Amino acid sequence: MKTTDATVLDKPRTHEPAADAVVEPAIESRPRAAAGVKEAKIYIDGKFYSEASAKVSVFDHGLLYGDGIFEGIRFYNGRVFRLEEHLARLWDSARSICLEIPMTVRDMTEAVLETIRQNHLRDGYIRLLVTRGIGNLGLNPMQCKSPSVIIIAAMIALYHESFYRKGLTIVTCATRRSNPAALNPAVKSLNYLNNVMARIEANLANADEALMLNDAGNVAECTADNVFVIKRGQIFTPPITAGALRGITRGIVFEIAAELGIKVLETDITRHDIFVADECFLTGTAAEIIPVVKADGRLIGNGKPGPITTRTMARFRQMTRETGTPIFA
């Protein structure tokens, strides 16, 4: 790990959590009951549709070219977690690709909240999409006159609860993260083929996640998560310039670390740094904060979630249950 602070790896600063702390995922996947529950309602351009009738045109450039943006947003205990931050990032993505979102931030906030209400949920996941809209088969986005907004509310658990206790296994994939000069990962684009190809490699290797490197051979991120490693009591994560998304949950780790008095450094990380780390964890809206215990066949630390990871996970769970934009207020 490159750093200008010569004391970083020589003066550990440890903070021990409660012994044998057990952290469950903040939300579990619960299927809809077979009876007594109405079909999910999907928001499309100001109206709600049943799952069966929720459709988009085959000429929508979001479908034809992946021309659009999205956000994944969690809500817990009747509150939407970090909604303002997610919408700010959505608007930033839109500006970057010259896409005009056809509603105000205030109206979008209400649309998100009403979608959750329509589905009678208190815990779950929102997928918010803005597509370029209907055009012709040509590439030119000027042919698309009306961007489309789609909001889906659902239950989600990216990983089974046992993975939060035992940890994930990851492998380095051959697929490199898109160079920011080609397609900047700061834009949460509907074009996720780069990540999908890496996910396929993880599946073929029977691993839980794939580690993606950038053109320089440094760690960028995983297919849907930011990467953190812990060495001698300090936390390290790749900088945004390495090709990592400026994740909302990533930022929360910085907040939690500050509370715990633990230093976080954004610095280039190699596979070697992960192999020799004391702890490793991933962060993402869907994954939340989840430990990694094996990388490319090598145990990380003692092969179990470490104390700093466990403490960070516990604090994150507390935050999700106590803060957020009220849904039913």
Side-chain angles (χ1 to χ4, degrees):
M1 290 167 279
K2 299 177 182 177
T3 176
T4 57
D5 185 351
T7 67
V8 166
L9 299 182
D10 297 324
K11 293 185 179 180
R13 184 190 301 168
T14 58
H15 301 262
E16 295 296 327
D20 301 321
V22 176
V23 179
E24 299 289 350
I27 183 169
E28 299 176 9
S29 178
R30 296 187 294 274
R32 293 176 178 272
V37 177
K38 294 182 179 181
E39 189 178 27
K41 299 296 183 181
I42 314 297
Y43 175 101
I44 304 178
D45 297 331
K47 298 181 180 180
F48 287 94
Y49 300 85
S50 67
E51 290 184 44
S53 59
K55 297 179 174 62
V56 297
S57 170
V58 295
F59 291 98
D60 191 305
H61 276 215
L63 171 65
L64 290 175
Y65 296 109
D67 186 3
I69 54 177
F70 79 96
E71 282 289 324
I73 308 168
R74 296 293 286 263
F75 53 99
Y76 306 88
N77 196 32
R79 295 175 179 270
V80 183
F81 191 57
R82 301 295 173 111
L83 179 57
E84 291 183 0
E85 292 180 46
H86 280 286
L87 294 185
R89 190 170 63 180
L90 183 79
W91 255 260
D92 284 346
S93 293
R95 176 172 293 185
S96 184
I97 67 170
C98 298
L99 173 61
E100 184 174 349
I101 298 177
M103 56 200 307
T104 65
V105 174
R106 181 176 180 178
D107 289 341
M108 183 72 80
T109 299
E110 180 55 32
V112 168
L113 297 177
E114 184 58 26
T115 300
I116 300 171
R117 297 181 196 122
Q118 288 282 331
N119 287 277
H120 309 289
L121 296 172
R122 291 185 60 83
D123 298 87
Y125 176 84
I126 283 286
R127 173 56 59 88
L128 169 57
L129 307 93
V130 183
T131 76
R132 189 75 66 176
I134 298 173
N136 56 29
L137 294 180
L139 184 66
N140 191 349
M142 293 294 291
Q143 300 298 323
C144 305
K145 304 303 182 184
S146 301
S148 185
V149 176
I150 302 168
I151 308 175
I152 306 168
M155 305 300 297
I156 187 174
L158 189 60
Y159 298 106
H160 188 271
E161 63 181 81
S162 62
F163 286 105
Y164 293 85
R165 294 193 298 267
K166 299 178 180 179
L168 301 178
T169 295
I170 64 175
V171 294
T172 306
C173 64
T175 301
R176 294 296 174 103
R177 190 68 180 97
S178 295
N179 189 307
L183 181 60
N184 198 313
V187 177
K188 284 188 67 71
S189 162
L190 297 182
N191 183 346
Y192 245 52
L193 187 58
N194 183 221
N195 308 71
V196 170
M197 294 303 295
R199 178 68 246 188
I200 289 172
E201 291 189 51
N203 294 344
L204 293 174
N206 198 31
D208 303 314
E209 247 290 14
L211 187 69
M212 302 183 74
L213 309 180
N214 58 24
D215 289 343
N218 294 319
V219 173
E221 59 183 9
C222 286
T223 63
D225 311 302
N226 291 116
V227 181
F228 289 81
V229 296
I230 299 167
K231 187 70 172 179
R232 299 175 186 166
Q234 292 183 314
I235 303 175
F236 302 83
T237 193
I240 300 304
T241 53
L245 173 71
R246 194 183 299 276
I248 305 298
T249 311
R250 176 183 185 272
I252 294 172
V253 169
F254 282 71
E255 297 175 21
I256 294 173
E259 289 182 10
L260 301 178
I262 302 174
K263 190 172 185 178
V264 181
L265 292 176
E266 296 182 272
T267 184
D268 285 333
I269 293 175
T270 66
R271 294 171 65 220
H272 169 78
D273 295 315
I274 293 180
F275 298 157
V276 302
D278 299 325
E279 305 176 41
C280 179
F281 62 86
L282 309 181
T283 67
T285 297
E288 301 173 310
I289 299 176
I290 189 164
V292 176
V293 296
K294 183 182 287 188
D296 293 334
R298 299 161 174 85
L299 287 181
I300 297 174
N302 64 2
K304 298 180 181 180
I308 293 178
T309 299
T310 302
R311 192 173 183 182
T312 302
M313 292 167 63
R315 175 60 179 136
F316 174 78
R317 185 182 184 189
Q318 180 185 16
M319 294 170 71
T320 64
R321 291 298 180 184
E322 296 177 353
T323 64
T325 304
I327 297 170
F328 301 100

